[in-house]
Structures are given as structure tokens and as C-alpha cells.
Amino acid sequence: MDVWEAIMKRRTVRRFKQEPIPQSILINLVNAARMAPSGANIQPLKYMIVDDPAKVIRVFEQVRWAAYLAPNGAPGENERPSAFLLILLDNTIKAATPELDAGAACQNIMLAAAAEGIGTCWMGAIKRERIREILDLPERYTLHTVIALGYAGEEPVAEDASDSIRYYKDPAGVLHVPKRTLKDILLPANGMQSAKSQPAKDE
Ligand SMILES: Cc1cc2nc3c(=O)[nH]c(=O)nc-3n(C[C@H](O)[C@H](O)[C@H](O)COP(=O)(O)O)c2cc1C
């Protein structure tokens, strides 16, 4: 899968096949994160793989899925992710742009995963202190977000947004993700002058 295809096809997945992801692949995804851009090249992020099924279940209990689909947004018992990746900020490294670095790193991870047929859900609605306890995370690390991973068990579709950006499921259970159109997000090239109406001739 080339980069363009991965960008266009990647969708947040919340239903997964019950098939473990080899740890070597998860490590490779962290390698993709390692290559992401970083403000001042500080690279303040660290990562933890959680793929032990007993630990995965415990982390699973601390995350909130698909607020717009509540109470039916969470994966069912046989649709759960097989791993989580923790995105951590190492507080011993003075970060210049930690939030932006995390965004770039996570996108690298999710695109690389998509190329492997692995679905991802980047998650910010998480119980950070509970996850810290479960995984015995030292205070040195701030838990930024987690990414749930598993071989994709659904194929959500993107569509042009009209009046709402809320994702929804159709009667067949397919997740639809409205994206604002290019027309909506792209301002006139080279400045706004061209968008202004031309003055009338006798002005
Ligand atoms: C920073 C961030 C945090 C997110 N947190 C959650 C979350 O806690 N739970 C969830 O189900 N989805 C979460 N998502 C996934 C978004 O709902 C999803 O990206 C959005 O609906 C667009 O769908 P797409 O990723 O398929 O384009 C998060 C996405 C981002 C970028």
C-alpha cells in the first residue's frame, strides 16, 4: 500500500478480529513513530506496547469508545483490540512541542498499521491514573494517549460531510465518517484578494 492509499483508506477501527499481532510488527510501528518530525528534534516521546491479553483487557476497561455512538460504540466481546500502544511524554526531556510531536508520531503509527491491515483507534478519553497503576508507570512519564490496535474487523467509510460531522452507523452496521469537503476547508490560493468581488466600473 503506498502512502497516498494509506492516508485515504485509514479509518478509525473499533471492531477487531481476534487474532494477535506479532510483537515484531508492534515494535516496527514504534519504529515508524521514531521517524516522525519533532519540534527542535527534541523527541520527548516514549512508547509502551501492551499485548499480554490479561493486561489488554485491563487497559480496555479504562478507555471510552465512540462517544457519538454511545451506548453502542464499544467493541463487543469478540471484537476487542489485541494490543494497545501507550504514547508517553518523558518528563526528563524538556519538550518544545509535545502535543504536536505526539500527533505526528501517532499518525505515522496509524498509517504504518493501515498498510499492514491493522486497524487503529487513537484514544484520548482514557483513565490515565488507572492505566498508570495497571502498568506500574513511573511518574517520569505522562500518559498522553493510547492507540488500540488489532486486525481490522470492520471497514468504515469516509463521506463528504453536509450538515453534520457526527459519525454514525447505517442500518447494516457500517460506520460512516463525514469529512468536511475540500471546498469547505480550502481557502483561495495566494490570498483572499481573489475572493473579493471586483469593484463596479464606475466606483
Ligand atoms: C486526539 C484524538 C483522540 C481520540 N480519542 C478517541 C477516543 O477516546 N475514543 C474513540 O472511540 N475515538 C477517539 N478518536 C477517534 C476519532 O473519533 C476519529 O479519528 C474521528 O471520528 C474521525 O474518524 P477517522 O479517524 O476514521 O477519520 C480520537 C481521535 C483523535 C485524533
Side-chain angles (χ1 to χ4, degrees):
M1 189 182 283
D2 70 16
V3 176
W4 182 251
E5 198 183 351
I7 289 170
M8 298 312 276
K9 283 202 174 151
R10 180 213 61 82
R11 293 273 66 77
T12 290
V13 165
R14 300 185 183 86
R15 283 167 17 191
F16 304 93
K17 291 181 187 152
Q18 301 304 281
E19 198 183 311
I21 303 171
Q23 203 175 77
S24 57
I25 292 184
L26 295 169
I27 292 170
N28 245 344
L29 297 181
V30 175
N31 205 24
R34 189 172 72 88
M35 287 296 133
S38 167
N41 204 24
I42 303 281
Q43 304 170 69
L45 300 172
K46 301 282 166 77
Y47 305 87
M48 182 183 280
I49 292 168
V50 181
D51 63 351
D52 167 28
K55 289 276 169 65
V56 170
I57 288 182
R58 295 192 64 200
V59 173
F60 178 85
E61 289 163 350
Q62 315 308 325
V63 302
R64 196 159 63 98
W65 300 84
Y68 292 153
L69 304 178
N72 301 314
E77 210 166 308
N78 295 315
E79 300 170 332
R80 293 182 177 176
S82 37
F84 284 96
L85 251 180
L86 269 52
I87 316 302
L88 303 162
L89 182 61
D90 184 341
N91 300 314
T92 66
I93 302 174
K94 193 169 161 27
T97 53
E99 291 286 323
L100 303 176
D101 289 13
C106 287
Q107 185 71 354
N108 266 17
I109 290 169
M110 295 188 294
L111 292 178
E116 300 274 357
I118 294 170
T120 53
C121 182
W122 186 11
M123 312 192 80
I126 58 177
K127 292 184 185 152
R128 289 179 173 73
E129 281 316 304
R130 286 290 299 125
I131 295 173
R132 178 181 298 286
E133 285 162 20
I134 291 164
L135 300 170
D136 199 17
L137 271 183
E139 287 299 324
R140 166 178 174 178
Y141 302 108
T142 297
L143 177 53
H144 182 269
T145 40
V146 304
I147 300 179
L149 305 108
Y151 288 100
E154 65 172 343
E155 265 190 53
V157 293
E159 62 189 23
D160 286 355
S162 46
D163 48 347
S164 170
I165 45 70
R166 291 172 74 98
Y167 49 80
Y168 63 93
K169 285 201 174 171
D170 68 20
V174 176
L175 177 62
H176 292 248
V177 184
K179 294 288 183 188
R180 294 190 201 279
T181 60
L182 253 188
K183 192 166 157 277
D184 217 18
I185 65 170
L186 184 60
L187 270 55
N190 308 309
M192 299 300 283
Q193 292 88 343
S194 60
K196 287 189 189 141
S197 57
Q198 296 296 317
K201 266 201 176 127
D202 54 353
E203 258 179 41

